[in-house]
Amino acid sequence: MLCKPPQLFGISATSMATVRSNTRFAMRRLGRLEPRAPLDADWRSLRDGLPSRAAITLTRFIEFHSREGIPPSTVSDASFERCQAWIRAATLCRSPSRLFAQMRYQWNKAAREQPNLGLPILGAARQRVRCTVPLETMHPDLQADIERMRRHLGCSDLNDLDADHLRGDHDDGLAGRASPSPAPRRALRAITIEERMRHARQAVWALVQTGVPLEEIRGIRDLVVPVERARQAIRFMRDRAGKQRSAPAGHVAEILRQIAKFHVGLPKAEVERIAGWKKAVTPEYSEMTEKNRRRLEPLLTPEAEQKILALPAVLMEEAEALLPSSGVLAVSAAKRALVLHLGLFYAFRVSNLLGLRRDRHFIGPGHGSSAITRFLIPAGEVKNRVTIDRPVLPLTSDMIIAWEQKFRPLIAAADNPYLFAGVKGRPMTRQAMGSTLARIVAERVGCEINSHLVRHRAAVAHLKRYPGDFEVIRVLLGHKTDRTARKSYTGPEKDSAFDRFDQTVLEQMRTLRPRKSGPDRRTDRRRAMGGRA
């Protein structure tokens, strides 16, 4: 709970800091946290000589090394790793990873700027270990095969390739196999190719974990010949996930199927065996995942919807008010307003939102007008090769014009063509956009969100109001068929469907007149009149 943004609990950052401090005090009194220990003379002297910001950042770093009796001059990467483990286990630090990076930076800065202190330089942080085999450690023939596969995926016409791009000069790789399959119907995107290459290296890693020496894998053929090797790698990935279906296992199985079919040319029966194993380990999705449903529920409450839909206009007003006094804050508010507005109304994929350019994607009335009437993103720039062509609201056009004329020039280089400009002529990064959205929505709405969840929210919000209207979702999200929309968004709209049915039954109950349970009044009247009609 203490690691969550305080706005999610309806309190300020200052109040959360107070809660954390009080909790820390109570836990120390109860013996659940170690009490503060006095610093030894060397560390006290060092702390007093540091700038105040560095001293504050390094408080726990100094405390740990003083506890351990490690002098400042003998600090090492190993002692810093032990310090990190202690901080995670014995403190209530909200963001340990961020603190560790700041500690390393401040320590190394002090060591460089004050060489008289004799402080050692700490090494770079360890990178997250990926379960793959580095390309440079593989057999040269296997490296060559993977490079040929990369070229194959990036080309849509084999007539433009030399024969060497597909056939190796060694006997154990691709040479001697069946004729290669045609290139893909279209060249795959660079990001897709990199994912395939990573999955191929992961398949090599999985096979090595089963006991096959890396030196024996001399080509991609050795991953699937004999075909039992593919089974070994897929089974290892499944077992690693607790014998459950998992995305990593599915990815490895799919790349092995592709290698067998398109790059090695195995018989159809063996390719189908690998395809069967892939089906057995790949997660099946027939409706929205439980994880996405839980994340979306807080965003779709009436209170949250009211706040998030009004937020772009509120932020733009704040940007206008801040512009005379602080350009930096004004640009930040205006950027958040426009990013959120485009996500709410147009549900663009992140790559297309980041890649928006006036000279390529905006269509206006012409005649010198800067107004925008349509977004037109060519199929070649869209993930599923479906052109995005849709009208633009006047509200959107006005916001973009205001951004371009008042705010964007304050941060964008003259030669940067992107609507959301980054550095060196590139667009803003995914990480920057994600943090921009997450921070402002947490602060103002009190919900967690990310760039892709905005797209999910748009689809689910429509389906809750119009259950079963998947055709609109298909058009909005740019899917080729409504199958993808049904698979991804079936589930949350069921409640709305049930509500509509319940309302129908209740309405019928209200409109039908209840039957009289006692004797018929007309019969009673006839009896009173002696049987006359």
Side-chain angles (χ1 to χ4, degrees):
M1 183 186 72
L2 296 177
C3 294
K4 296 282 187 179
Q7 293 80 9
L8 296 180
F9 307 105
I11 62 176
S12 67
T14 304
S15 298
M16 179 61 88
T18 302
V19 170
R20 187 179 293 106
S21 178
N22 291 340
T23 304
R24 190 181 293 116
F25 174 80
M27 293 182 71
R28 283 202 178 102
R29 292 294 298 270
L30 294 171
R32 301 302 298 272
L33 288 180
E34 296 180 7
R36 288 285 177 87
L39 301 179
D40 65 28
D42 290 342
W43 282 105
R44 190 184 315 110
S45 174
L46 175 64
R47 184 197 60 185
D48 294 342
L50 292 174
S52 59
R53 182 169 184 175
I56 293 172
T57 302
L58 292 171
T59 296
R60 291 190 176 96
F61 182 95
I62 291 173
E63 180 183 354
F64 172 80
H65 286 87
S66 176
R67 282 172 176 271
E68 296 293 308
I70 301 173
S73 59
T74 61
V75 167
S76 64
D77 291 331
S79 69
F80 186 35
E81 285 189 12
R82 297 198 302 275
C83 174
Q84 294 176 40
W86 174 75
I87 289 174
R88 291 184 186 277
T91 71
L92 298 179
C93 179
R94 174 184 172 187
S95 180
S97 298
R98 182 180 179 184
L99 176 63
F100 300 154
Q102 293 172 344
M103 284 179 171
R104 180 180 285 103
Y105 171 78
Q106 292 292 352
W107 177 267
N108 288 343
K109 182 180 179 181
R112 293 188 179 100
E113 293 181 353
Q114 303 180 59
N116 58 301
L117 296 176
L119 304 179
I121 298 292
L122 294 175
R126 286 188 176 181
Q127 300 297 316
R128 183 175 63 173
V129 178
R130 289 190 177 273
C131 300
T132 62
V133 176
L135 190 64
E136 61 272 11
T137 64
M138 298 180 185
H139 192 281
D141 293 344
L142 178 56
Q143 294 184 42
D145 275 0
I146 290 178
E147 180 57 31
R148 277 189 287 271
M149 187 164 68
R150 180 194 301 274
R151 295 185 189 183
H152 182 76
L153 296 175
C155 178
S156 58
D157 186 358
L158 289 183
N159 293 330
D160 294 335
L161 293 177
D162 297 329
D164 289 342
H165 288 157
L166 288 173
R167 289 185 178 275
D169 297 328
H170 55 279
D171 295 333
D172 297 320
L174 298 178
R177 64 167 175 77
S179 299
S181 299
R185 289 175 297 174
R186 62 175 184 269
L188 301 184
R189 298 183 307 152
I191 189 171
T192 304
I193 294 174
E194 288 307 315
E195 280 296 293
R196 298 277 177 86
M197 296 299 98
R198 185 172 66 84
H199 297 158
R201 296 197 304 273
Q202 194 167 29
V204 175
W205 175 82
L207 191 57
V208 170
Q209 302 308 304
T210 66
V212 177
L214 183 59
E215 300 76 20
E216 290 186 9
I217 309 175
R218 300 185 58 197
I220 59 174
R221 181 182 180 85
D222 294 330
L223 295 175
V224 293
V225 177
V227 73
E228 286 301 318
R229 281 194 169 181
R231 185 177 185 176
Q232 285 178 245
I234 295 170
R235 179 183 291 170
F236 172 81
M237 295 300 296
R238 183 204 63 178
D239 293 348
R240 186 168 177 266
K243 296 187 181 299
Q244 301 294 320
R245 296 171 182 260
S246 67
H251 292 155
V252 167
E254 172 59 15
I255 196 64
L256 290 174
R257 185 195 69 82
Q258 292 180 17
I259 288 172
K261 181 175 181 179
F262 299 113
H263 305 280
V264 175
L266 290 186
K268 182 178 179 180
E270 295 189 352
V271 173
E272 288 179 348
R273 288 185 69 190
I274 299 176
W277 299 332
K278 176 209 164 190
K279 185 176 181 180
V281 300
T282 303
E284 295 180 344
Y285 302 109
S286 59
E287 59 182 31
M288 174 173 280
T289 63
E290 186 63 28
K291 177 182 177 181
N292 280 337
R293 193 179 303 182
R294 287 197 305 269
R295 295 163 74 186
L296 279 170
E297 282 180 358
L299 283 168
L300 295 171
T301 62
E303 297 80 10
E305 285 199 314
Q306 183 180 5
K307 290 179 181 179
I308 199 169
L309 291 174
L311 187 54
V314 171
L315 290 172
M316 192 58 79
E317 289 178 3
E318 292 179 3
E320 296 276 2
L322 287 167
L323 193 56
S325 58
S326 175
V328 174
L329 294 179
V331 167
S332 177
K335 184 190 295 183
R336 290 173 171 179
L338 186 54
V339 167
L340 186 56
H341 173 84
L342 293 175
L344 293 173
F345 281 87
Y346 301 92
F348 288 131
R349 293 181 178 90
V350 176
S351 58
N352 294 127
L353 181 58
L354 292 172
L356 285 176
R357 297 171 51 159
R358 175 173 282 278
D359 62 343
R360 184 180 295 177
H361 306 126
F362 299 171
I363 297 177
H367 309 294
S369 172
S370 58
I372 304 166
T373 57
R374 300 192 75 83
F375 288 129
L376 180 60
I377 303 178
E381 299 180 26
V382 183
K383 178 181 178 181
N384 61 351
R385 301 303 198 274
V386 175
T387 300
I388 297 175
D389 181 10
R390 61 165 301 173
V392 172
L393 294 169
L395 171 62
T396 304
S397 178
D398 293 342
M399 289 187 71
I400 292 177
I401 292 171
W403 164 253
E404 290 183 324
Q405 294 179 354
K406 299 178 180 180
F407 304 101
R408 186 179 177 277
L410 299 177
I411 59 167
D415 59 347
N416 192 314
Y418 294 98
L419 181 66
F420 300 108
V423 297
K424 298 182 180 179
R426 295 193 293 265
M428 182 169 63
T429 64
R430 287 173 175 261
Q431 292 80 4
M433 177 171 286
S435 62
T436 292
L437 276 178
R439 188 177 303 114
I440 194 61
V441 173
E443 290 175 357
R444 302 296 183 89
V445 182
C447 297
E448 293 182 281
I449 202 171
N450 57 49
S451 303
H452 200 64
L453 205 61
V454 176
R455 184 171 161 91
H456 289 327
R457 194 216 71 85
V460 175
H462 179 82
L463 288 172
K464 277 186 170 289
R465 186 174 291 269
Y466 303 102
D469 194 4
F470 288 101
E471 178 59 20
V472 169
I473 301 304
R474 183 193 71 79
V475 174
L476 171 69
L477 301 184
H479 296 153
K480 291 183 178 179
T481 69
D482 66 358
R483 180 181 177 184
T484 303
R486 290 181 181 277
K487 184 172 69 172
S488 301
Y489 301 111
T490 295
E493 40 83 37
K494 289 180 181 178
D495 290 345
S496 296
F498 292 140
D499 288 342
R500 290 180 66 179
F501 177 79
D502 292 343
Q503 292 303 318
T504 299
V505 176
L506 292 172
E507 184 64 26
Q508 288 175 333
M509 292 174 62
R510 284 192 293 267
T511 56
L512 291 176
R513 295 178 60 185
R515 294 177 59 88
K516 184 174 180 295
S517 59
D520 185 27
R521 292 183 178 179
R522 288 178 297 180
T523 304
D524 294 342
R525 186 180 302 168
R526 290 192 188 103
R527 289 175 179 172
M529 297 176 66
R532 290 180 297 171

